[in-house]
Amino acid sequence: MNLLHMKYAVVVAETNSINKAAELLYVGQPTLSRAIKELESSLGVTLFERSAKGMFLTPDGETFVRYAKTVLEQVDSIEDLFKKSRTEKKRFSISVPRASYITEAFASFSKLLEKGTPAELFYKETNSMRTLRNVLQENYKLGIVRYAENYDKYYKTMMEEKGLEFELVTKFRYVLLMNEESELSKKEEITYDDLKDKIEIAHADPYVPSIPFAQIKKEELPDNSDRRIFVFERASQFELLSQNPETFMWVSSIPKALLKRYGLTQRTVEENRRVYKDVLIYRKDYTLSALDNLFIEQLVKAKREVLG
């Protein structure tokens, strides 16, 4: 027996009218009339007496509607039972540069999720071009793009054109990260010349849209060393730095706990004057969720603790 047809019959019985029932059910009158006839045919009884005054239940119809109401109430109760037991899964997604203070914020954020709350969190480390694409095309809700300050006008114009909200997270200069046993860490002042015989670890995919890679490489990866190891994720860089005192890396400041864990130290280099920006982005048609705001709170906290 068709439950929908059963519901139709109950509404027709309550209104005594095909026309009124059709309006309440948002179906066409011919469709409703046909459904009632199919129901009567399947049961082998006449449920309604039809007259110019309307549709009235027969004795069989009264019996049917009484049972039908009980069945429909039970169906509603079953649906409500499972709806209440099924909590909507919360989702959070962000695409970010490879920055330890952002990872620190994400780790703190993850610990604040309520126990027992179904949730899926997506944390993608990549370059600025892919972060823009992830937010615009791949359904990532938040992104953080990193770029040199001299590209500020270019990025702001592009983000406006693409319908993105953007907010400055922080401005900073890269520091030099190295093994605490490195010869560099013993120097009172480190210069670019001191780096020439060392091994630089660098992320292999800096990118500014529409600008030739050769130009980016020259500006974002200065030729301070004749030897380089290119990596694509942060775990490898820390292992290399902790095991090879001849390596170094340009990074945004690292949390003290992470430096201690890997036996590393970081130093400023006065020659390195380039300023960078980390900028939070999301689509203008997107409203920040409670999870988004919770993460942003931890991001601001981590930024203050690590970068000052």
Side-chain angles (χ1 to χ4, degrees):
M1 187 182 300
N2 190 316
L3 284 174
L4 186 60
H5 289 181
M6 188 182 294
K7 181 178 179 180
Y8 287 172
V10 170
V11 177
V12 171
E14 291 173 343
T15 60
N16 300 121
S17 167
I18 285 286
N19 293 345
K20 291 180 181 178
E23 290 178 5
L24 290 172
L25 293 166
Y26 297 101
V27 298
Q29 294 176 26
T31 300
L32 184 55
S33 295
R34 186 166 56 252
I36 297 299
K37 288 179 182 178
E38 288 176 1
L39 180 61
E40 289 177 323
S41 177
S42 67
L43 293 171
V45 298
T46 299
L47 299 177
F48 293 95
E49 292 181 355
R50 292 145 173 95
S51 71
K53 294 182 179 181
M55 302 274 287
F56 298 94
L57 289 170
T58 64
D60 286 334
E62 290 178 354
T63 301
F64 173 81
V65 167
R66 184 169 65 251
Y67 278 101
K69 286 182 177 179
T70 300
V71 171
L72 292 171
E73 286 173 0
Q74 290 176 337
V75 170
D76 288 341
S77 296
I78 292 171
E79 289 179 346
D80 289 342
L81 174 65
F82 285 98
K83 284 179 181 177
K84 290 177 181 177
S85 65
R86 186 176 65 247
T87 305
E88 184 179 354
K89 185 176 292 185
K90 295 183 177 180
R91 289 175 59 88
F92 172 85
S93 56
I94 188 167
S95 183
V96 300
R98 301 173 182 89
S100 295
Y101 85 92
I102 302 176
T103 304
E104 183 91 349
F106 182 73
S108 298
F109 159 70
S110 71
K111 293 187 289 186
L112 297 177
L113 295 176
E114 294 181 7
K115 289 185 177 180
T117 301
E120 289 182 342
L121 312 180
F122 294 84
Y123 185 83
K124 174 71 173 179
E125 292 186 336
T126 187
N127 61 37
S128 293
M129 180 198 71
R130 292 196 178 95
T131 287
L132 287 164
R133 186 174 64 193
N134 287 342
V135 173
L136 291 169
Q137 301 177 15
E138 301 298 331
N139 206 32
Y140 277 75
K141 302 305 182 185
L142 301 180
I144 297 177
V145 294
R146 171 171 291 183
Y147 56 84
E149 189 176 40
N150 55 299
Y151 292 131
D152 195 46
K153 183 177 180 181
Y154 173 84
Y155 268 92
K156 286 181 177 178
T157 299
M158 178 182 61
M159 290 186 288
E160 284 283 1
E161 290 175 350
K162 293 184 179 297
L164 293 172
E165 294 284 357
F166 51 92
E167 181 180 344
L168 179 67
V169 177
T170 189
K171 293 169 65 173
F172 64 94
R173 285 166 46 192
Y174 278 131
V175 296
L176 201 64
L177 183 65
M178 70 205 81
N179 191 298
E180 60 185 9
E181 299 299 324
S182 170
E183 295 175 357
L184 295 171
S185 67
K186 309 299 188 294
K187 292 180 175 290
E188 290 188 12
E189 184 177 331
I190 301 173
T191 67
Y192 283 162
D193 285 341
D194 295 325
L195 306 178
K196 287 187 176 179
D197 62 344
K198 304 300 180 183
I199 302 171
E200 180 180 5
I201 298 171
H203 290 135
D205 57 352
Y207 193 90
V208 179
S210 84
I211 297 177
F213 181 77
Q215 180 181 341
I216 297 158
K217 182 176 179 181
K218 181 178 179 182
E219 296 196 12
E220 304 290 330
L221 302 174
D223 290 325
N224 302 136
S225 175
D226 294 329
R227 295 182 291 170
R228 281 202 180 91
I229 298 173
F230 290 98
V231 296
F232 287 85
E233 38 76 36
R234 289 181 314 109
S236 296
Q237 74 189 40
F238 288 120
E239 290 298 328
L240 287 165
L241 288 162
S242 67
Q243 295 187 42
N244 187 348
E246 294 297 304
T247 59
F248 71 91
M249 189 171 193
W250 293 106
V251 296
S252 53
S253 291
I254 304 291
K256 291 179 181 178
L258 200 56
L259 294 173
K260 184 177 180 180
R261 185 185 310 163
Y262 286 98
L264 306 177
T265 187
Q266 58 190 10
R267 296 274 299 277
T268 58
V269 177
E270 287 303 314
E271 288 178 276
N272 180 26
R273 308 302 300 174
R274 186 178 294 276
V275 175
Y276 289 83
K277 286 187 172 184
D278 282 348
V279 177
L280 177 73
I281 63 170
Y282 54 93
R283 296 175 66 101
K284 287 187 176 180
D285 59 1
Y286 175 67
T287 301
L288 295 175
S289 68
L291 279 184
D292 296 332
N293 285 314
L294 186 60
F295 169 78
I296 292 170
E297 289 175 9
Q298 297 306 307
L299 179 66
V300 172
K301 181 180 177 181
K303 184 262 294 189
R304 288 174 179 167
E305 291 177 352
V306 179
L307 300 176

PDB file of all heavy atoms in Angstrom, residues 233-250:
ATOM      1  N   GLU A 233      56.547  19.213   2.178  1.00  0.00           N
ATOM      2  CA  GLU A 233      55.797  19.217   3.434  1.00  0.00           C
ATOM      3  C   GLU A 233      56.747  19.401   4.613  1.00  0.00           C
ATOM      4  O   GLU A 233      57.943  19.185   4.499  1.00  0.00           O
ATOM      5  CB  GLU A 233      54.943  17.948   3.574  1.00  0.00           C
ATOM      6  CG  GLU A 233      55.594  16.676   3.068  1.00  0.00           C
ATOM      7  CD  GLU A 233      56.647  16.147   4.016  1.00  0.00           C
ATOM      8  OE1 GLU A 233      56.457  16.257   5.242  1.00  0.00           O
ATOM      9  OE2 GLU A 233      57.656  15.637   3.535  1.00  0.00           O
ATOM     10  N   ARG A 234      56.185  19.822   5.750  1.00  0.00           N
ATOM     11  CA  ARG A 234      57.024  20.286   6.838  1.00  0.00           C
ATOM     12  C   ARG A 234      57.706  19.172   7.624  1.00  0.00           C
ATOM     13  O   ARG A 234      58.748  19.392   8.232  1.00  0.00           O
ATOM     14  CB  ARG A 234      56.185  21.150   7.799  1.00  0.00           C
ATOM     15  CG  ARG A 234      55.812  22.489   7.207  1.00  0.00           C
ATOM     16  CD  ARG A 234      55.008  23.340   8.167  1.00  0.00           C
ATOM     17  NE  ARG A 234      53.955  22.584   8.807  1.00  0.00           N
ATOM     18  CZ  ARG A 234      53.949  22.229  10.089  1.00  0.00           C
ATOM     19  NH1 ARG A 234      54.939  22.581  10.874  1.00  0.00           N
ATOM     20  NH2 ARG A 234      52.951  21.540  10.596  1.00  0.00           N
ATOM     21  N   ALA A 235      57.132  17.975   7.647  1.00  0.00           N
ATOM     22  CA  ALA A 235      57.741  16.896   8.436  1.00  0.00           C
ATOM     23  C   ALA A 235      59.165  16.610   7.973  1.00  0.00           C
ATOM     24  O   ALA A 235      60.087  16.470   8.786  1.00  0.00           O
ATOM     25  CB  ALA A 235      56.886  15.639   8.350  1.00  0.00           C
ATOM     26  N   SER A 236      59.374  16.553   6.667  1.00  0.00           N
ATOM     27  CA  SER A 236      60.709  16.265   6.132  1.00  0.00           C
ATOM     28  C   SER A 236      61.702  17.364   6.478  1.00  0.00           C
ATOM     29  O   SER A 236      62.863  17.095   6.788  1.00  0.00           O
ATOM     30  CB  SER A 236      60.651  16.093   4.610  1.00  0.00           C
ATOM     31  OG  SER A 236      59.873  14.981   4.262  1.00  0.00           O
ATOM     32  N   GLN A 237      61.248  18.608   6.441  1.00  0.00           N
ATOM     33  CA  GLN A 237      62.175  19.702   6.710  1.00  0.00           C
ATOM     34  C   GLN A 237      62.699  19.631   8.141  1.00  0.00           C
ATOM     35  O   GLN A 237      63.890  19.854   8.397  1.00  0.00           O
ATOM     36  CB  GLN A 237      61.507  21.058   6.458  1.00  0.00           C
ATOM     37  CG  GLN A 237      60.509  21.501   7.500  1.00  0.00           C
ATOM     38  CD  GLN A 237      59.724  22.736   7.093  1.00  0.00           C
ATOM     39  OE1 GLN A 237      59.327  22.896   5.938  1.00  0.00           O
ATOM     40  NE2 GLN A 237      59.488  23.617   8.044  1.00  0.00           N
ATOM     41  N   PHE A 238      61.855  19.288   9.104  1.00  0.00           N
ATOM     42  CA  PHE A 238      62.304  19.212  10.490  1.00  0.00           C
ATOM     43  C   PHE A 238      63.254  18.031  10.711  1.00  0.00           C
ATOM     44  O   PHE A 238      64.220  18.144  11.469  1.00  0.00           O
ATOM     45  CB  PHE A 238      61.111  19.127  11.438  1.00  0.00           C
ATOM     46  CG  PHE A 238      60.354  20.422  11.547  1.00  0.00           C
ATOM     47  CD1 PHE A 238      59.021  20.512  11.202  1.00  0.00           C
ATOM     48  CD2 PHE A 238      60.984  21.570  12.002  1.00  0.00           C
ATOM     49  CE1 PHE A 238      58.333  21.702  11.289  1.00  0.00           C
ATOM     50  CE2 PHE A 238      60.313  22.778  12.101  1.00  0.00           C
ATOM     51  CZ  PHE A 238      58.976  22.843  11.733  1.00  0.00           C
ATOM     52  N   GLU A 239      62.971  16.919  10.056  1.00  0.00           N
ATOM     53  CA  GLU A 239      63.870  15.769  10.177  1.00  0.00           C
ATOM     54  C   GLU A 239      65.246  16.095   9.592  1.00  0.00           C
ATOM     55  O   GLU A 239      66.278  15.767  10.173  1.00  0.00           O
ATOM     56  CB  GLU A 239      63.265  14.548   9.474  1.00  0.00           C
ATOM     57  CG  GLU A 239      62.047  13.958  10.164  1.00  0.00           C
ATOM     58  CD  GLU A 239      62.365  13.455  11.566  1.00  0.00           C
ATOM     59  OE1 GLU A 239      63.509  13.005  11.800  1.00  0.00           O
ATOM     60  OE2 GLU A 239      61.473  13.530  12.424  1.00  0.00           O
ATOM     61  N   LEU A 240      65.261  16.746   8.443  1.00  0.00           N
ATOM     62  CA  LEU A 240      66.532  17.121   7.818  1.00  0.00           C
ATOM     63  C   LEU A 240      67.313  18.100   8.690  1.00  0.00           C
ATOM     64  O   LEU A 240      68.518  17.940   8.914  1.00  0.00           O
ATOM     65  CB  LEU A 240      66.276  17.741   6.449  1.00  0.00           C
ATOM     66  CG  LEU A 240      65.843  16.783   5.339  1.00  0.00           C
ATOM     67  CD1 LEU A 240      65.270  17.557   4.159  1.00  0.00           C
ATOM     68  CD2 LEU A 240      67.023  15.933   4.884  1.00  0.00           C
ATOM     69  N   LEU A 241      66.642  19.112   9.190  1.00  0.00           N
ATOM     70  CA  LEU A 241      67.312  20.114  10.012  1.00  0.00           C
ATOM     71  C   LEU A 241      67.844  19.515  11.311  1.00  0.00           C
ATOM     72  O   LEU A 241      68.927  19.869  11.780  1.00  0.00           O
ATOM     73  CB  LEU A 241      66.339  21.253  10.332  1.00  0.00           C
ATOM     74  CG  LEU A 241      65.980  22.182   9.169  1.00  0.00           C
ATOM     75  CD1 LEU A 241      64.716  22.958   9.475  1.00  0.00           C
ATOM     76  CD2 LEU A 241      67.127  23.144   8.862  1.00  0.00           C
ATOM     77  N   SER A 242      67.093  18.606  11.900  1.00  0.00           N
ATOM     78  CA  SER A 242      67.497  18.040  13.187  1.00  0.00           C
ATOM     79  C   SER A 242      68.646  17.048  13.048  1.00  0.00           C
ATOM     80  O   SER A 242      69.430  16.856  13.981  1.00  0.00           O
ATOM     81  CB  SER A 242      66.305  17.352  13.865  1.00  0.00           C
ATOM     82  OG  SER A 242      65.899  16.211  13.138  1.00  0.00           O
ATOM     83  N   GLN A 243      68.783  16.432  11.866  1.00  0.00           N
ATOM     84  CA  GLN A 243      69.816  15.410  11.688  1.00  0.00           C
ATOM     85  C   GLN A 243      71.048  15.907  10.928  1.00  0.00           C
ATOM     86  O   GLN A 243      72.110  15.276  10.990  1.00  0.00           O
ATOM     87  CB  GLN A 243      69.222  14.196  10.961  1.00  0.00           C
ATOM     88  CG  GLN A 243      68.145  13.488  11.772  1.00  0.00           C
ATOM     89  CD  GLN A 243      67.682  12.206  11.114  1.00  0.00           C
ATOM     90  OE1 GLN A 243      68.489  11.437  10.593  1.00  0.00           O
ATOM     91  NE2 GLN A 243      66.370  11.950  11.155  1.00  0.00           N
ATOM     92  N   ASN A 244      70.913  17.019  10.223  1.00  0.00           N
ATOM     93  CA  ASN A 244      72.036  17.513   9.428  1.00  0.00           C
ATOM     94  C   ASN A 244      72.358  18.960   9.801  1.00  0.00           C
ATOM     95  O   ASN A 244      71.670  19.883   9.366  1.00  0.00           O
ATOM     96  CB  ASN A 244      71.700  17.423   7.934  1.00  0.00           C
ATOM     97  CG  ASN A 244      72.890  17.751   7.058  1.00  0.00           C
ATOM     98  OD1 ASN A 244      73.909  18.268   7.533  1.00  0.00           O
ATOM     99  ND2 ASN A 244      72.773  17.471   5.775  1.00  0.00           N
ATOM    100  N   PRO A 245      73.430  19.180  10.609  1.00  0.00           N
ATOM    101  CA  PRO A 245      73.796  20.534  11.042  1.00  0.00           C
ATOM    102  C   PRO A 245      74.231  21.458   9.912  1.00  0.00           C
ATOM    103  O   PRO A 245      74.369  22.666  10.123  1.00  0.00           O
ATOM    104  CB  PRO A 245      74.966  20.282  12.011  1.00  0.00           C
ATOM    105  CG  PRO A 245      74.830  18.859  12.426  1.00  0.00           C
ATOM    106  CD  PRO A 245      74.283  18.150  11.238  1.00  0.00           C
ATOM    107  N   GLU A 246      74.426  20.917   8.705  1.00  0.00           N
ATOM    108  CA  GLU A 246      74.841  21.734   7.571  1.00  0.00           C
ATOM    109  C   GLU A 246      73.664  22.384   6.859  1.00  0.00           C
ATOM    110  O   GLU A 246      73.849  23.138   5.910  1.00  0.00           O
ATOM    111  CB  GLU A 246      75.623  20.875   6.565  1.00  0.00           C
ATOM    112  CG  GLU A 246      76.956  20.365   7.099  1.00  0.00           C
ATOM    113  CD  GLU A 246      77.898  21.528   7.421  1.00  0.00           C
ATOM    114  OE1 GLU A 246      78.162  22.352   6.520  1.00  0.00           O
ATOM    115  OE2 GLU A 246      78.337  21.625   8.588  1.00  0.00           O
ATOM    116  N   THR A 247      72.448  22.081   7.304  1.00  0.00           N
ATOM    117  CA  THR A 247      71.253  22.603   6.628  1.00  0.00           C
ATOM    118  C   THR A 247      70.700  23.836   7.342  1.00  0.00           C
ATOM    119  O   THR A 247      70.942  24.056   8.530  1.00  0.00           O
ATOM    120  CB  THR A 247      70.143  21.540   6.565  1.00  0.00           C
ATOM    121  OG1 THR A 247      69.800  21.145   7.897  1.00  0.00           O
ATOM    122  CG2 THR A 247      70.592  20.325   5.773  1.00  0.00           C
ATOM    123  N   PHE A 248      69.946  24.632   6.586  1.00  0.00           N
ATOM    124  CA  PHE A 248      69.230  25.769   7.148  1.00  0.00           C
ATOM    125  C   PHE A 248      67.968  25.996   6.321  1.00  0.00           C
ATOM    126  O   PHE A 248      67.812  25.448   5.229  1.00  0.00           O
ATOM    127  CB  PHE A 248      70.092  27.040   7.149  1.00  0.00           C
ATOM    128  CG  PHE A 248      70.333  27.621   5.780  1.00  0.00           C
ATOM    129  CD1 PHE A 248      69.470  28.581   5.249  1.00  0.00           C
ATOM    130  CD2 PHE A 248      71.406  27.201   5.000  1.00  0.00           C
ATOM    131  CE1 PHE A 248      69.678  29.112   3.985  1.00  0.00           C
ATOM    132  CE2 PHE A 248      71.619  27.732   3.736  1.00  0.00           C
ATOM    133  CZ  PHE A 248      70.760  28.693   3.218  1.00  0.00           C
ATOM    134  N   MET A 249      67.080  26.834   6.840  1.00  0.00           N
ATOM    135  CA  MET A 249      65.830  27.100   6.117  1.00  0.00           C
ATOM    136  C   MET A 249      65.281  28.466   6.520  1.00  0.00           C
ATOM    137  O   MET A 249      65.391  28.867   7.685  1.00  0.00           O
ATOM    138  CB  MET A 249      64.803  26.016   6.445  1.00  0.00           C
ATOM    139  CG  MET A 249      63.544  26.073   5.588  1.00  0.00           C
ATOM    140  SD  MET A 249      62.494  24.625   5.829  1.00  0.00           S
ATOM    141  CE  MET A 249      61.377  24.843   4.423  1.00  0.00           C
ATOM    142  N   TRP A 250      64.708  29.181   5.555  1.00  0.00           N
ATOM    143  CA  TRP A 250      64.003  30.435   5.824  1.00  0.00           C
ATOM    144  C   TRP A 250      62.561  30.106   6.163  1.00  0.00           C
ATOM    145  O   TRP A 250      61.852  29.456   5.397  1.00  0.00           O
ATOM    146  CB  TRP A 250      64.053  31.347   4.607  1.00  0.00           C
ATOM    147  CG  TRP A 250      65.420  31.856   4.262  1.00  0.00           C
ATOM    148  CD1 TRP A 250      66.211  31.454   3.227  1.00  0.00           C
ATOM    149  CD2 TRP A 250      66.156  32.874   4.947  1.00  0.00           C
ATOM    150  NE1 TRP A 250      67.399  32.147   3.218  1.00  0.00           N
ATOM    151  CE2 TRP A 250      67.397  33.040   4.277  1.00  0.00           C
ATOM    152  CE3 TRP A 250      65.902  33.662   6.080  1.00  0.00           C
ATOM    153  CZ2 TRP A 250      68.368  33.938   4.679  1.00  0.00           C
ATOM    154  CZ3 TRP A 250      66.866  34.564   6.482  1.00  0.00           C
ATOM    155  CH2 TRP A 250      68.080  34.710   5.790  1.00  0.00           C
TER     156      TRP A 250
END
